[in-house]
Amino acid sequence: MAKILIVDDQDMMRDSLAATLVREGHEVVAAYDGQIALQRLGEKKFDLMLTDLRMPKMTGLELLTEAKKIRPDMPVVLMTAFATVQTAVEAMKQGAYDYIQKPFDGEELKLLIERTLEHARLRVENQTLRGVVESMNAPRPLVGDGAVMMQVKRRIELVGKSNATVLIRGPSGTGKEVASRAIHIASERRDRPFLAVNCAALSESLLESELFGHEKGAFTGADRVRRGRFELADGGTLLLDEISEIAPGLQAKLLRVLQENAFERVGSSVTQQVDVRVIATSNRDLEQAVHEGKFREDLFYRLNVVPIELPALRDRAEDIPDLVRHFLSNIARRDRAPFRHIEPEAVRVLQKYHWPGNVRELQNLIERAVILETDPGVIRAETIAPWLKMPGEARGGSGMEQLAGKPLEEVEKHVILSTLERFKGHRVKTAGALGIGVRTLGMKIKKWKEVGEFAET
Ligand SMILES: Nc1ncnc2c1ncn2[C@@H]1O[C@H](COP(=O)(O)OP(=O)(O)OP(=O)(O)O)[C@@H](O)[C@H]1O
Ligand SMILES: [Mg+2]
């Protein structure tokens, strides 16, 4: 359903058109001349304006020019008799989206309107996407100057210059995504999109249409054409996260795009050509999956043109001081708060820990330390140490036991702060998860702030 403004000086024409569109389920406003139309345009937003060309007072062309000043993004379709087709062509040069020749039937009009609205929708989608891409392309440095990371960085610079497919491997949280963005930034594609798809998160059929798109009616629920990630990433980079999880049928299709740069949308026989650099990640043993027949060998070799291995954080403890400083300065910038220092002993404690969650775990821990450290000057080892579960220690449960026997108020504060932390400070999500109102949450935080037990911007 769309909001449509119809402008025509002939009552019969206008009324029957309005009736047709209302029957189609649209919301229609009718105006009998250009001046009234402009007035309506100023009052509310329309998705589409359908205007006659020849009208008294103001012609359709003049109306088009004025309407573009008020609603530059609204598509305008002109209705014209045969004699004025030439003018309609002129109008399209001036920004009209399309024209329809009188007399026309309902079906013709319906198709035109659908096409126009779909085009406008795609334009908005593109704009949003471009915004997302820009924010995603914001530099996120790969921190760490230890020998291993230096080697990784050199490889990224080299591979950036090529179009080769890259396979990045390493345990969870070691920075595979950061590294793939770094490759994109190091390449000539840096001004083009960088998109990511998590292959483990979707079922086979959903993943297929996510990657390759689908035609309208390709399957139940496919009520409009959808462009897939390969199309959207054209000229740029596509990150396929957790590639080992991709089903056999899709492995074949993926191999084809990698080899021929060609694919079809689901439900279409039209072959599309794209130019996309693919980066794949995996934290599983792919050779083993190949050996077990779960992952195609030819695809494995095609992906593994340039391998990059990210080591576990415990194997590069020398990078920890830099990482800690990096996260602290990120937090300070984000919260517009002074930089929190950390005492050398605390860093040594961190360097001894085994980091099962790797860099992600370190990042979360620093975030927690900034929130919970009561010493305003510096983050202390004694604050951090109790949070680090040494190997062999019971997982889970222990956190709760630590709270047993504590005043309820303190327990509540602990739960609220760790939930806030989990949702990156997002109050609406935090309140939702805790089953309390956002205002209640806000009041509690305000109270802690007043007594200096909580720092936030
Ligand atoms: N070398 C690094 N420099 C700065 N930040 C890093 C680095 N490595 C990881 N991070 C940060 O740690 C977090 C996890 O990194 P990332 O998402 O790249 O890991 P991953 O290997 O893709 O993990 P997963 O296997 O779980 O998807 C991110 O917030 C990222 O910004
Ligand atoms: Mg990842």
Side-chain angles (χ1 to χ4, degrees):
M1 198 203 75
K3 286 200 180 71
I4 301 178
L5 178 62
I6 303 175
V7 196
D8 200 321
D9 56 317
Q10 284 168 311
D11 297 344
M12 280 261 290
M13 180 68 194
R14 195 178 59 239
D15 294 347
S16 82
L17 199 55
T20 315
L21 293 176
V22 167
R23 232 178 297 125
E24 296 285 340
H26 299 296
E27 189 182 321
V28 177
V29 172
Y32 67 86
D33 68 28
Q35 271 160 13
I36 296 191
L38 288 174
Q39 216 174 325
R40 298 288 171 266
L41 283 178
E43 287 161 9
K44 67 174 175 180
K45 253 178 118 163
F46 290 89
D47 299 310
L48 172 69
M49 178 167 85
L50 202 56
T51 177
D52 189 20
L53 204 48
R54 284 212 190 138
M55 294 181 294
K57 286 198 202 165
M58 190 185 273
T59 68
L61 267 189
E62 286 163 340
L63 174 58
L64 172 68
T65 313
E66 291 307 307
K68 283 277 155 194
K69 289 182 194 158
I70 308 175
R71 302 276 180 215
D73 291 329
M74 177 188 64
V76 176
V77 172
L78 294 154
M79 300 178 284
T80 164
F82 178 66
T84 51
V85 163
Q86 201 43 51
T87 330
V89 171
E90 188 53 40
M92 290 186 63
K93 285 192 198 138
Q94 289 185 26
Y97 174 71
D98 208 344
Y99 67 91
I100 187 166
Q101 200 172 312
K102 288 178 181 176
F104 48 81
D105 61 25
E107 197 55 26
E108 217 178 320
L109 178 70
K110 188 178 154 190
L111 283 178
L112 176 67
I113 288 181
E114 266 172 20
R115 183 153 39 93
T116 311
L117 292 174
E118 176 67 8
H119 180 88
R121 197 186 61 78
L122 283 177
R123 215 172 56 188
V124 171
E125 190 178 288
N126 273 351
Q127 279 165 357
T128 340
L129 213 62
R130 214 170 298 141
V132 172
V133 168
E134 271 160 23
S135 69
M136 289 196 340
N137 284 353
R140 280 199 225 168
L142 198 57
V143 176
D145 287 341
V148 196
M149 280 312 277
M150 286 313 285
Q151 210 179 341
V152 168
K153 286 189 204 176
R154 264 195 302 273
R155 187 163 277 203
I156 287 176
E157 281 307 316
L158 285 175
V159 79
K161 298 196 189 83
S162 77
N163 275 322
T165 310
V166 185
L167 179 61
I168 306 180
R169 297 206 268 181
S172 180
T174 44
K176 296 187 291 297
E177 181 160 348
V178 188
S180 44
R181 284 174 199 282
I183 294 173
H184 177 70
I185 300 289
S187 76
E188 297 201 328
R189 299 168 176 266
R190 70 182 71 85
D191 295 324
R192 306 286 306 160
F194 174 95
L195 297 177
V197 180
N198 186 340
C199 302
L202 299 168
S203 69
E204 178 173 2
S205 56
L206 282 183
L207 181 60
E208 179 171 13
S209 91
E210 183 75 24
L211 291 175
F212 304 116
H214 61 243
E215 289 302 320
K216 187 171 167 174
F219 47 84
T220 359
D223 48 5
R224 50 167 58 126
V225 178
R226 175 158 190 222
R227 299 196 292 162
R229 297 281 151 159
F230 270 100
E231 252 181 283
L232 294 169
D234 198 10
T237 305
L238 183 60
L239 169 62
L240 300 177
D241 241 333
E242 303 197 43
I243 194 80
S244 58
E245 303 311 303
I246 203 163
L250 271 183
Q251 290 179 18
K253 293 199 174 153
L254 186 58
L255 184 63
R256 174 159 172 247
V257 205
L258 292 175
Q259 282 173 339
E260 300 165 23
N261 300 318
F263 69 94
E264 287 92 30
R265 286 183 187 153
V266 178
S268 166
S269 52
V270 181
T271 301
Q272 311 223 18
Q273 287 285 332
V274 281
D275 166 28
V276 174
R277 131 76 72 76
V278 170
I279 301 177
T281 77
S282 173
N283 51 28
R284 284 217 4 225
D285 186 350
L286 270 183
E287 281 89 346
Q288 182 63 25
V290 169
H291 186 71
E292 290 167 7
K294 291 184 185 134
F295 201 82
R296 288 178 70 120
E297 190 172 17
D298 46 6
L299 179 58
F300 172 73
Y301 287 119
R302 193 68 191 73
L303 289 170
N304 201 25
V305 177
V306 181
I308 291 182
E309 197 80 40
L310 288 173
L313 184 56
R314 69 176 144 287
D315 296 332
R316 48 181 167 116
E318 67 273 19
D319 292 339
I320 288 180
D322 278 346
L323 282 165
V324 171
R325 224 169 295 127
H326 171 70
F327 294 136
L328 284 171
S329 81
N330 276 355
I331 293 170
R333 192 168 349 105
R334 182 197 66 195
D335 297 350
R336 289 187 219 107
F339 181 85
R340 295 286 289 265
H341 290 273
I342 182 163
E343 62 175 7
E345 181 51 27
V347 177
R348 273 194 290 276
V349 168
L350 295 176
Q351 284 181 299
K352 279 188 219 129
Y353 181 56
H354 65 294
W355 299 111
N358 294 296
V359 185
R360 181 180 293 114
E361 187 182 3
L362 174 63
Q363 184 176 9
N364 290 341
L365 183 130
I366 296 299
E367 186 95 26
R368 183 179 345 164
V370 169
I371 297 174
L372 294 181
E373 174 60 69
T374 45
D375 187 328
V378 63
I379 294 167
R380 299 203 169 279
E382 65 210 52
T383 309
I384 291 173
W387 301 337
L388 304 176
K389 280 193 225 85
M390 289 305 158
E393 253 181 75
R395 296 209 125 254
S398 62
M400 280 298 179
E401 273 146 36
Q402 275 177 24
L403 293 173
K406 294 262 168 71
L408 265 185
E409 208 175 334
E410 200 174 305
V411 175
E412 180 189 84
K413 185 175 167 192
H414 177 82
V415 172
I416 291 179
L417 289 180
S418 29
T419 313
L420 259 178
E421 191 186 327
R422 172 169 317 164
F423 292 109
K424 304 201 168 74
H426 196 298
R427 289 192 184 183
V428 178
K429 289 183 187 163
T430 303
L434 294 171
I436 59 175
V438 182
R439 286 194 45 204
T440 313
L441 176 67
M443 263 149 40
K444 289 182 191 292
I445 293 177
K446 190 163 164 243
K447 198 176 76 193
W448 296 329
K449 270 188 185 168
E450 276 162 9
V451 294
E453 289 177 358
F454 187 76
E456 203 191 46
T457 38

